[in-house]
C-alpha cells in the first residue's frame, strides 16, 4: 500500500482508492451522493482532503452491515464539515441504526423460517403465502389482482 507523506494534505482519486480499497468508480459515486467531497484543481482533477479516508471507511463499514446510503449520508451530515468521524461518532450513529437492523433481522428470520414452506409449491397464494403477503396485508388493503 503506498504511503502518503504527512506533508501532503490532499489526495488524488487514485491515492484515495489505493489507501481506502474502494474503486475509483465507487469514490465518484460516493461523491455524487454527497458522502465525500473534493475540490477541483485548475486542470479539473479531484483532490480529497485526508479526512476522506476515514469517511470512506465509515461508509464502507456501514454498508457492510446493510445501512442504506441515504441513512449514511444523513449520519455524516450530523458531523461538522470535513471532520473525521471518530469512534464516538460511530458509536452514537450506529446506535441509531440498531432498531432498523433488529427489524431487518426479524424479517430475515421470518423469511428463513417460512422459506421451506414455499419451495416447490409455486403458489405464492395471496391469502397464505408468508413470503409475498405476510399476515395477508394485501387482503386488508386491496381487492382484486395485485399490481
Amino acid at each position: 500500500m503506498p504511503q502518503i507523506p504527512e506533508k501532503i494534505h490532499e489526495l488524488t482519486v487514485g491515492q484515495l482508492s489505493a489507501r481506502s480499497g474502494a474503486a475509483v468508480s465507487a469514490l465518484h459515486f460516493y461523491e455524487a451522493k454527497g458522502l465525500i467531497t473534493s475540490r477541483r484543481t485548475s486542470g479539473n482533477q479531484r483532490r480529497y482532503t485526508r479526512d476522506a479516508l476515514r469517511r470512506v471507511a465509515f461508509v464502507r463499514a456501514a454498508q457492510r452491515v446493510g445501512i442504506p446510503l441515504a441513512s449514511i449520508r444523513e449520519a455524516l451530515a450530523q458531523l461538522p464539515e470535513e471532520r473525521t468521524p471518530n469512534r464516538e461518532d460511530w458509536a452514537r450513529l450506529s446506535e441509531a441504526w440498531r432498531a432498523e437492523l433488529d427489524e431487518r433481522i426479524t424479517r430475515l428470520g421470518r423469511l428463513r423460517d417460512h422459506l421451506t414452506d414455499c419451495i416447490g409449491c409455486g403458489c405464492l397464494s395471496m391469502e397464505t403465502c408468508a413470503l409475498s403477503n405476510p399476515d395477508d396485508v394485501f387482503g386488508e388493503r386491496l381487492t382484486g389482482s395485485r399490481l
Side-chain angles (χ1 to χ4, degrees):
M1 178 177 311
Q3 294 296 316
I4 301 170
E6 279 297 316
K7 64 182 178 180
I8 297 176
H9 297 289
E10 292 186 317
L11 309 172
T12 66
V13 70
Q15 289 170 324
L16 183 58
S17 174
R19 290 290 306 272
S20 68
V24 170
S25 59
L27 296 173
H28 291 173
F29 180 76
Y30 292 164
E31 188 173 355
K33 294 297 182 184
L35 299 167
I36 59 175
T37 59
S38 70
R39 73 170 185 84
R40 296 295 183 124
T41 66
S42 59
N44 203 31
Q45 296 175 333
R46 289 176 169 92
R47 292 294 185 263
Y48 298 91
T49 56
R50 292 176 72 91
D51 72 290
L53 281 168
R54 181 67 61 96
R55 285 182 174 263
V56 170
F58 183 95
V59 169
R60 295 185 71 189
Q63 282 185 298
R64 275 193 294 275
V65 297
I67 303 301
L69 285 179
S71 297
I72 298 169
R73 183 178 50 245
E74 290 171 12
L76 287 172
Q78 295 176 24
L79 302 177
E81 187 67 28
E82 295 189 13
R83 189 172 121 238
T84 303
N86 57 33
R87 183 182 303 249
E88 292 79 24
D89 294 326
W90 177 258
R92 179 175 44 83
L93 296 171
S94 64
E95 182 64 33
W97 295 327
R98 184 175 294 277
E100 180 182 339
L101 291 172
D102 287 342
E103 174 60 28
R104 191 174 304 148
I105 290 167
T106 300
R107 285 194 317 266
L108 286 170
R110 189 174 333 142
L111 172 65
R112 179 202 58 224
D113 295 343
H114 293 286
L115 188 60
T116 55
D117 297 340
C118 288
I119 291 179
C121 84
C123 75
L124 296 179
S125 165
M126 290 304 294
E127 283 101 22
T128 61
C129 183
L131 297 178
S132 67
N133 188 17
D135 305 319
D136 193 24
V137 292
F138 292 118
E140 304 255 333
R141 295 184 291 168
L142 303 170
T143 59
S145 63
R146 182 176 90 181
L147 300 176

